[in-house]
Amino acid sequence: VGERGPAAGPVVVASRGPVTATKIYVNLSQPERVEEVSKAGADGVGLLRAEFILMEALDGHHPRLLLEEGREREFVDRLAEKLLPFAQSFHPRPVIYRASDFKSNEYRHLKGGDKYEPVEQNPMIGYRGAFRYAKEPELFELELLALQRVRRENRMGNLHLMLPFVRTAWDVENAIRVIDRVGLRADREFKLWVMAEVPSIIFRLRDYATLGVQGVSIGSNDLTQLVLGLDRDGELVAELFDERDPAVVRAIQMIIEEGSALGMTVSICGQGPSVYPELTEKLVEAGITSISVNPDMIGATRELVAAVEQRILLKGIRALQRAGKS
């Protein structure tokens, strides 16, 4: 579901490692690993996937089934209970919760799902992401109420929200209406991020910042698919899927440049940085704020980022020295 990666390897519990200006975050979804991963030296959670947590919290039931049965409070109680350990284990480090991004074919596999979900020819670019929140605001509101409970009742102000698969400013505007109805933005410490998966974000970041979005996280898997126009699961075209493709790298650089100019936090949580060191180098050189990787890559990524940052500093010092001599 969502950003995928290779099977997670063992997590080395270690000291924080070298100090880096670029934050090293971790991608998480499994509640049973939170305590272990929290000790592995990450600066926070850059991607807390809702889907696995929701499936466990709702015991595999489609959320609309619970809604139909009048079990809204149970929905909120269970989800808040599942979110709390993540916020507690990483506190005061930030935890960025990406709200649900089930695609229709994934939702159909849940209990009762065939009753509520359409059959789509291409669910990857269909009824998913923030667009669902405009059509089913009552479900989105339940997620937000669980988030609010953890922040207020449990005093875990490090838990924040990210909107997935944002296509247009209309998506963000509709989501913010529900967010404000719940009252999350009344707390000045609350952060709202959006995922950068749809190429349209390159041209709409200023609009999102104006609406109050403070951070953007690049989902390089979906961004790669949509920049290159291919389905990574399609056997006939899968060989073309490459997050290092020059067009993809340039799109990422443009997001970093625009987001930085707007004063936004710019992160990445796709599979790429966990797999390709050369991509990580380009991200740091472009000025990305944080890099979120799989748990088993925290230490190696921090070491790589530290080396790249030192090289950039040395290059700058030598340039100043040459300028001084001229």
Side-chain angles (χ1 to χ4, degrees):
V1 179
E3 294 295 336
R4 300 176 303 176
V11 175
V12 177
V13 178
S15 61
R16 189 175 181 276
V19 175
T20 58
T22 308
K23 300 293 185 184
I24 308 301
Y25 289 160
V26 64
N27 301 330
L28 270 181
S29 58
Q30 303 99 330
E32 66 274 9
R33 300 196 74 196
V34 62
E35 192 65 34
E36 171 198 11
V37 176
S38 70
K39 299 173 183 176
D43 295 309
V45 179
L47 172 64
L48 178 58
R49 300 180 181 91
E51 294 78 31
F52 298 98
I53 299 170
L54 275 172
M55 282 193 289
E56 186 171 310
L58 305 182
D59 192 27
H61 289 81
H62 192 288
R64 291 208 68 85
L65 183 61
L66 271 68
L67 202 67
E68 185 176 297
E69 295 173 351
R71 298 162 63 188
E72 294 91 342
R73 183 169 181 174
E74 182 180 344
F75 183 118
V76 175
D77 289 346
R78 288 187 175 187
L79 181 55
E81 181 183 349
K82 294 295 181 182
L83 290 175
L84 181 58
F86 291 98
Q88 285 178 325
S89 295
F90 279 88
H91 191 271
R93 293 169 290 174
V95 175
I96 311 299
Y97 171 77
R98 185 187 70 185
S100 57
D101 188 24
F102 282 112
K103 295 179 280 294
S104 57
N105 61 321
E106 294 166 341
Y107 258 135
R108 285 181 65 85
H109 291 309
L110 301 180
K111 297 173 185 175
D114 55 351
K115 178 180 179 181
Y116 304 105
E117 294 300 318
V119 176
E120 297 183 283
Q121 291 299 315
N122 194 344
M124 180 66 73
I125 55 174
Y127 189 45
R128 62 175 292 195
F131 180 71
R132 268 191 180 260
Y133 307 156
K135 300 297 182 180
E136 303 177 77
E138 64 279 10
L139 289 179
F140 182 46
E141 185 169 339
L142 293 179
E143 281 190 77
L144 299 181
L145 287 170
L147 202 73
Q148 181 75 305
R149 177 178 297 180
V150 175
R151 287 182 56 83
R152 283 188 177 174
E153 295 183 14
N154 300 108
R155 300 179 183 274
M156 292 290 115
N158 61 323
L159 185 60
H160 306 287
L161 175 67
M162 182 155 60
L163 304 178
F165 212 76
V166 170
R167 293 169 164 115
T168 69
W170 182 84
D171 284 339
V172 179
E173 289 168 348
N174 280 286
I176 285 177
R177 288 192 189 97
V178 187
I179 292 167
D180 287 346
R181 189 158 67 236
V182 172
L184 279 164
R185 292 204 304 168
D187 181 352
R188 292 184 179 181
E189 299 301 315
F190 171 75
K191 306 298 182 187
L192 176 62
W193 289 20
V194 296
M195 288 289 292
E197 300 160 293
V198 182
S200 62
I201 198 167
I202 297 169
F203 311 101
R204 302 304 299 269
L205 263 182
R206 184 170 297 275
D207 297 333
Y208 301 159
T210 300
L211 289 168
V213 173
Q214 297 129 307
V216 55
S217 186
I218 299 161
S220 56
N221 286 0
D222 276 347
L223 185 65
T224 299
Q225 292 188 98
L226 295 174
V227 167
L228 299 181
L230 58 87
D231 179 358
R232 66 173 179 246
D233 295 327
E235 294 181 3
L236 298 178
V237 295
E239 64 187 273
L240 293 175
F241 182 88
D242 188 349
E243 290 158 296
R244 300 163 297 174
D245 183 274
V248 178
V249 172
R250 183 59 191 134
I252 291 173
Q253 289 171 332
M254 291 171 70
I255 293 168
I256 296 172
E257 291 165 6
E258 179 70 1
S260 299
L262 292 167
M264 302 174 81
T265 297
V266 185
S267 188
I268 186 167
C269 59
Q271 182 182 341
S274 294
V275 180
Y276 305 118
E278 64 271 33
L279 179 58
T280 300
E281 291 188 26
K282 286 185 171 65
L283 295 169
V284 175
E285 290 168 353
I288 200 160
T289 310
S290 57
I291 297 174
S292 194
V293 297
N294 297 333
D296 54 322
M297 292 298 296
I298 295 170
T301 302
R302 189 178 292 281
E303 294 284 349
L304 173 61
V305 167
V308 174
E309 289 181 348
Q310 288 172 3
R311 188 167 66 247
I312 292 171
L313 284 173
L314 183 58
K315 183 178 179 181
I317 291 170
R318 287 174 174 169
L320 287 172
Q321 289 173 338
R322 287 194 296 271
K325 292 178 181 178
S326 60

